[in-house]
Amino acid sequence: MRKTIKIAALALMVSMTAVSCKKKVSDADLTSQATTAITAYPGTSVEVKEGQAHLSGVFATEADKQAAIEALKKVEGVKDVHDMATVAPVAASVEVNAVDAAVLQKVNDALKDIPGVKAEDVAGTLTLTGTTTSANARKVKESVDALKIGKYDNKITVK
């Protein structure tokens, strides 16, 4: 009986020692794991201090932000997540009913040396039309992009 009690006490002492010797994960390791957990969200970062994850940056949507918070909560060793991140505001869409005549003229001037290509206003959208070679199509794109006019519809046929 005495031997059984000694063995039980020894087993209890060994298990308590094993539990108390459990390796504590450093904040640097936790930060590394947490950063890996949110790599799908560019423009964001996380820092872990004393097991507390501090999330910052700008998310595209609220759903993305919540998904990142949940991913951080799943990192073993992270006790809590402090949300210091923001969600990017949704840009107001501007509807254009007609292409500005000055913009249309600028584009046509840029395309004057490229035969077979012209710019038109088609249903309120600047549209490039015509047929040209691959090299000239590249020149058209570079010329129009250099004007920084924004969105346009490229309907050029490359032969």
Side-chain angles (χ1 to χ4, degrees):
M1 176 81 168
R2 212 172 217 197
K3 193 173 188 181
T4 306
I5 292 175
K6 284 183 182 181
I7 291 174
L10 182 62
L12 181 62
M13 193 168 70
V14 169
S15 67
M16 292 298 279
T17 304
V19 170
S20 66
C21 290
K22 186 176 180 183
K23 184 178 176 184
K24 182 180 177 190
V25 180
S26 72
D27 284 342
D29 289 340
L30 284 176
T31 298
S32 176
Q33 292 173 21
T35 300
T36 301
I38 64 164
T39 56
Y41 309 103
T44 62
S45 63
V46 64
E47 185 178 350
V48 179
K49 293 181 183 174
E50 298 177 7
Q52 305 289 318
H54 299 268
L55 178 64
S56 60
V58 180
F59 286 88
T61 65
E62 183 66 31
D64 285 346
K65 184 168 111 170
Q66 292 305 317
I69 290 170
E70 290 304 315
L72 290 174
K73 287 179 179 178
K74 291 178 183 176
V75 174
E76 190 173 329
V78 170
K79 299 172 189 170
D80 196 14
V81 177
H82 298 278
D83 176 14
M84 299 182 299
T86 59
V87 176
V90 177
S93 62
V94 177
E95 189 173 320
V96 177
N97 293 330
V99 177
D100 185 359
V103 170
L104 191 57
Q105 185 61 47
K106 280 184 189 179
V107 175
N108 276 320
D109 287 345
L111 301 177
K112 68 182 177 192
D113 295 330
I114 304 173
V117 178
K118 64 181 180 174
E120 303 173 295
D121 180 357
V122 177
T125 302
L126 177 65
T127 305
L128 304 178
T129 59
T131 303
T132 191
T133 65
S134 177
N136 281 342
R138 192 173 309 115
K139 287 180 188 176
V140 167
K141 179 165 179 25
E142 290 171 356
S143 297
V144 174
D145 288 347
L147 294 173
K148 298 184 181 193
I149 58 166
K151 188 176 177 183
Y152 62 92
D153 194 5
N154 189 345
K155 299 232 178 187
I156 297 173
T157 304
V158 177
K159 57 179 174 177

